[in-house]
């Protein structure tokens, strides 16, 4: 590969989960620190980072077609961009990418992206580099400080997964469960608040498996961390995602009833409603134990909004088993949820199981499930009509004077009035829509 000039502009394209979005932001910050500017909208960038997701679909194929498109557009514009492939596809298929796509000069895994600047120095000299090591803690120490963040900021507290659900690539791409140290998180949360955060969402593939040692040397779990973060002045809201039912302890449930800053929202994936399917998925819970767990959260915090993840068409899923998923949905009444068609992931146990489901059956089941989930989301929104609550203003709306913010229950709320991004304002929720609420600004609480 020939030498190139140092890039002046970059673009980071993140796919997939919130943790990838977080990683993408951190990579962008590192590039900005080097004096590289975000490419203006509509212009080709000198450096493109494809921050990929491997959880579903033909992820790798998409990466190759993105690379092809970028090279073509670059040639047309007279300069081919430097391309870095990051994220979970990089981790899973780094070597193949290097072999198949000469246009790629850097392949960097999710636990190694703090080394992107060094790799970039080498790429400019024409060297190609792959780094898919997994020293996750070192990564966080090596990242630059965050000077300006959005009012709703993310903080990765835990990475990796030891659960090995049989359909899932995460344990292979993100590695074993690791928790970032307590003190690092408290310090980073304070800095996020100084940098403008009003709300912090604690991120982890299994965030409720986080554990650490507090200042007094006591072992604490996620609930302990949340209680201590709640003491930070200027931090108004705390959320966390994503959890596995096996790690939800009494302390976390109690925190929902006691910590005012902890928002009344729980994202707790269930995946399916049939115990046979759950067992084949290696989920370690049943439909009933999941429902009982939710009851305990509801007892602690009666207005808690519930969210989940679902997979339809897991190998061997019968029509009757799928109907058990619908039954579970009816029993819960989710405020929102994510649902997916099962996608065989190379190297996972489920990919080679008998009874792979035909695409048209999956389509049909997904449609029926989503109809039920949409119905319940709308119903949840209608129940909140007339409530007065605080809304965190996240951005301007399309109309003049219009704003978009989030309710405590994570609903998008549109309203008009005099306020600014980052304000927490008192709003009366008005007419419910299927995906958002209209609101009326009552008063401006804090600036
Ligand atoms: N196919 C479909 N959905 C999947 N998920 C994880 N792996 C797969 C797969 N192979 C879904 C699960 C998980 C969410 C992040 O993605 O519902 O909770
Ligand atoms: Fe994947 Fe299961 Fe771990 Fe979630 S808990 S990341 S679905 S293996």
């Amino acid at each position: 590969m020939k030498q190139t000039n140092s890039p002046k502009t970059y673009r980071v394209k993140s796919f997939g989960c919130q943790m990838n979005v977080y990683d993408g932001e951190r990579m962008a910050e590192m590039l900005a620190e080097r004096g590289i500017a975000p490419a203006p909208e509509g212009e080709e960038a000198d450096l493109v980072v494809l921050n990929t997701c491997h959880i579903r679909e033909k992820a790798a194929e998409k990466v190759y077609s993105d690379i092809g498109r970028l090279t073509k557009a670059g040639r047309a514009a007279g300069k081919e961009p430097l391309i870095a492939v990051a994220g979970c596809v990089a981790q899973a298929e780094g070597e193949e990418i290097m072999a198949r796509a000469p246009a790629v000069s850097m392949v960097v895994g999710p636990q190694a992206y703090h080394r992107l600047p060094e790799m970039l120095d080498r790429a400019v000299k024409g060297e190609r580099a792959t780094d898919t090591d997994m020293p996750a803690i070192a990564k966080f120490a090596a990242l630059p400080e965050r000077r300006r963040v959005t009012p709703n900021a993310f903080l990765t507290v835990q990475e990796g997964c030891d659960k090995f659900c049989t359909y899932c690539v995460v344990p292979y791409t993100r590695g074993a469960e690791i928790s970032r140290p307590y003190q690092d998180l408290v310090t980073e949360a304070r800095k996020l608040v100084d940098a403008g955060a009003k709300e912090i969402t604690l991120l982890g593939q299994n965030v409720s498996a986080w554990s650490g040692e507090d200042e007094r040397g006591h072992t604490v779990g996620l609930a302990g961390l949340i209680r201590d973060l709640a003491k930070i002045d200027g931090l108004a809201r705390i959320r966390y995602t994503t959890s596995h039912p096996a790690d939800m302890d009494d302390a976390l449930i109690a925190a929902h009833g006691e910590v005012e800053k902890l928002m009344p929202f729980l994202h707790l994936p269930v995946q399916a409603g049939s115990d046979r399917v759950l067992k084949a998925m290696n989920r370690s819970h049943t439909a009933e134990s999941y429902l009982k767990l939710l009851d305990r959260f509801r007892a602690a915090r009666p207005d808690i909004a519930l969210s989940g993840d679902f997979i339809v068409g897991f190998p061997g899923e019968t029509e009757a088993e799928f109907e058990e998923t619908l039954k579970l949905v009816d029993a819960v009444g989710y405020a929102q949820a994510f649902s997916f068609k099962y996608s065989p992931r190379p190297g996972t146990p489920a990919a080679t199981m008998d009874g792979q489901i035909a695409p048209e059956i999956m389509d049909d089941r997904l449609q029926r499930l989503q109809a039920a989930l949409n119905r319940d989301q709308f119903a949840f929104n209608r129940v909140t009509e007339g409530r007065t609550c605080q809304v965190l203003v996240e951005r301007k709306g399309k109309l003049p004077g219009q704003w978009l913010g989030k309710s405590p229950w994570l609903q998008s709320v549109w309203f008009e009035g005099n306020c600014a991004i980052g304000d927490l304002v008192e709003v009366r929720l008005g007419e419910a829509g299927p995906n958002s609420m209209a609101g009326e600004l009552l008063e401006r609480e804090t600036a």
Side-chain angles (χ1 to χ4, degrees), residues 55-56 167-168 269 271 309-311 340-345:
I55 202 131
R56 286 175 294 272
Y167 51 80
C168 186
Q271 314 299 357
D309 286 347
F310 296 87
I311 296 175
F340 313 102
K341 288 185 270 189
Y342 167 72
S343 161
R345 306 284 73 211

Side-chain angles (χ1 to χ4, degrees), residues 161 163-165 167-168 170-171 205-206 244 271 283:
C161 183
K163 300 287 184 292
F164 290 93
C165 299
Y167 51 80
C168 186
V170 166
Q205 264 93 31
N206 259 302
H244 186 288
Q271 314 299 357
R283 284 293 294 180

Side-chain angles (χ1 to χ4, degrees), residues 289-359:
S289 69
Y290 175 84
L291 291 172
K292 284 204 168 128
L293 185 57
L294 293 188
D295 284 345
R296 291 167 62 210
F297 276 92
R298 279 195 166 123
R301 181 77 205 226
D303 68 334
I304 199 161
L306 299 168
S307 165
D309 286 347
F310 296 87
I311 296 175
V312 300
F314 185 81
E317 183 187 68
T318 63
E319 168 63 23
E321 285 167 343
F322 167 68
E323 284 169 15
E324 290 185 66
T325 300
L326 295 177
K327 221 169 80 191
L328 180 135
V329 166
D330 288 348
V332 174
Y334 287 95
Q336 60 165 64
F338 302 92
S339 46
F340 313 102
K341 288 185 270 189
Y342 167 72
S343 161
R345 306 284 73 211
T348 59
T352 48
M353 282 180 186
D354 290 341
Q356 301 284 328
I357 306 291

Side-chain angles (χ1 to χ4, degrees), residues 300 351 389:
C389 63

Side-chain angles (χ1 to χ4, degrees), residues 251-425:
L252 188 58
I253 296 171
H256 273 278
E258 292 162 12
V259 181
E260 219 182 303
K261 291 183 181 178
L262 181 58
M263 290 295 100
F265 187 90
L266 174 66
H267 178 68
L268 192 61
V270 62
Q271 314 299 357
S274 142
D275 289 345
R276 192 204 61 81
V277 172
L278 287 169
K279 191 148 189 260
M281 288 177 164
N282 192 30
R283 284 293 294 180
S284 78
H285 60 83
T286 60
E288 197 194 341
S289 69
Y290 175 84
L291 291 172
K292 284 204 168 128
L293 185 57
L294 293 188
D295 284 345
R296 291 167 62 210
F297 276 92
R298 279 195 166 123
R301 181 77 205 226
D303 68 334
I304 199 161
L306 299 168
S307 165
D309 286 347
F310 296 87
I311 296 175
V312 300
F314 185 81
E317 183 187 68
T318 63
E319 168 63 23
E321 285 167 343
F322 167 68
E323 284 169 15
E324 290 185 66
T325 300
L326 295 177
K327 221 169 80 191
L328 180 135
V329 166
D330 288 348
V332 174
Y334 287 95
Q336 60 165 64
F338 302 92
S339 46
F340 313 102
K341 288 185 270 189
Y342 167 72
S343 161
R345 306 284 73 211
T348 59
T352 48
M353 282 180 186
D354 290 341
Q356 301 284 328
I357 306 291
E360 50 293 0
I361 295 180
M362 290 221 225
D363 286 339
D364 171 68
R365 289 183 188 168
L366 187 68
Q367 242 177 39
R368 286 152 68 201
L369 175 60
Q370 290 186 339
L373 292 169
N374 291 341
R375 170 204 71 199
D376 289 352
Q377 181 171 326
F378 200 2
F380 177 85
N381 286 345
R382 278 197 302 262
V383 166
T384 64
E385 281 181 356
R387 279 189 201 169
T388 296
C389 63
Q390 288 206 323
V391 167
L392 178 60
V393 185
E394 290 183 2
R395 62 177 173 88
K396 284 187 172 164
K398 287 195 192 83
L399 307 172
Q402 193 189 39
W403 300 94
L404 175 70
K406 290 276 162 56
S407 77
W409 307 283
L410 209 62
Q411 297 156 296
S412 294
V413 184
W414 299 96
F415 63 96
E416 283 168 20
N418 182 18
C419 60
I421 290 169
D423 284 352
L424 266 171
V425 292

